[in-house]
Amino acid sequence: MGRHVILAAAIAGVLVAFAARARPAFAALAGDDAIEVIQLDPTNSHVDFRVKLMWLLRVGGRFGAVNGSVRIDRFRNQVSVDARIAVDTVSMNSASAEAWIKSPEFFDVAHFPMIEFASDPFPQARLRDGGEVPGTLTLRGIERPVRFQMQPADCERPAYDCPIEVAGTVPRSEFGMRSRHGTLSDRVELRLSVRALAPAAR
């Protein structure tokens, strides 16, 4: 009986020692070095939108300031994107069209100055290969699940050497924009093109 107790104690001691040695290595892998947060470059990122008018012509514009980040979790091999779009930076071909887009009938910039997109975590390889990007879009204070499509990258370092391109369509009626159904399509095409700021030197 005594020998069994001594043997069990010895095995337990070996396991505790192994765990103590392994913990720092695991902590380094799962700690700060495993997480990289890349800040988006607002001056070189934009969002385009288009909608069909009279079911034939497409009208659209561009939001010129996109802030946010790309979070890369190397331990889990996952990426998530958080983008915030300033609605009052929208530009269109005419001043009257811009005023209408900013009005309560459409984006209502006075009450809802930001559009936000927060992706669900997705595989890191999708930054290079492209694929589906699910997430949540907040527009006019209304949150809805969306699924966008990321385009394959044509460079080695997506977001740095080439933009990350994400596209999709959303029904404007689900975000409180239900007017002019006779002349304006319910489907709004969105295309995000984002670049990242150069990483800070360590």
Side-chain angles (χ1 to χ4, degrees):
M1 185 68 177
R3 291 180 179 178
H4 290 300
V5 172
I6 294 172
L7 180 60
I11 293 173
V14 170
L15 291 176
V16 169
F18 175 79
R21 292 179 180 177
R23 191 177 298 117
F26 178 81
L29 180 62
D32 293 339
D33 290 341
I35 303 294
E36 181 181 4
V37 178
I38 302 170
Q39 297 301 320
L40 300 184
D41 183 353
T43 61
N44 290 302
S45 302
H46 61 265
V47 177
D48 294 326
F49 69 93
R50 295 195 308 175
V51 61
K52 281 187 179 181
L53 178 65
M54 301 297 292
W55 311 107
L56 294 173
L57 303 174
R58 280 186 171 88
V59 296
R62 170 171 290 186
F63 299 102
V66 182
N67 290 278
S69 61
V70 178
R71 185 177 185 272
I72 302 175
D73 185 339
R74 301 190 190 284
F75 178 67
R76 294 179 175 83
N77 196 29
Q78 291 181 334
V79 176
S80 57
V81 178
D82 177 19
R84 300 180 301 279
I85 304 154
V87 183
D88 62 358
T89 64
V90 65
S91 61
M92 298 184 71
N93 290 332
S94 71
S96 60
E98 286 183 21
W100 173 62
I101 284 294
K102 295 177 182 180
S103 74
E105 187 179 0
F106 216 77
F107 289 118
D108 196 1
V109 65
H111 295 99
F112 307 105
M114 285 288 180
I115 299 171
E116 299 181 23
F117 172 67
S119 80
D120 298 338
F122 57 88
Q124 186 176 345
R126 204 161 291 175
L127 287 175
R128 183 187 66 253
D129 302 334
E132 190 176 68
V133 180
T136 300
L137 182 68
T138 304
L139 176 57
R140 289 172 54 103
I142 300 171
E143 293 185 1
R144 292 286 185 270
V146 293
R147 291 185 178 274
F148 291 149
Q149 192 72 21
M150 182 174 292
Q151 305 303 311
D154 57 0
C155 65
E156 283 295 321
R157 301 187 306 162
Y160 292 120
D161 301 331
C162 62
I164 297 174
E165 303 275 0
V166 181
T169 62
V170 297
R172 62 186 180 93
S173 59
E174 290 191 4
F175 296 92
M177 295 175 280
R178 299 183 175 88
S179 64
R180 308 199 188 196
H181 269 292
T183 58
L184 198 64
S185 172
D186 188 49
R187 295 171 62 84
V188 179
E189 301 172 15
L190 294 176
R191 187 178 187 92
L192 291 79
S193 177
V194 297
R195 285 184 177 269
L197 294 170
R202 293 189 176 184

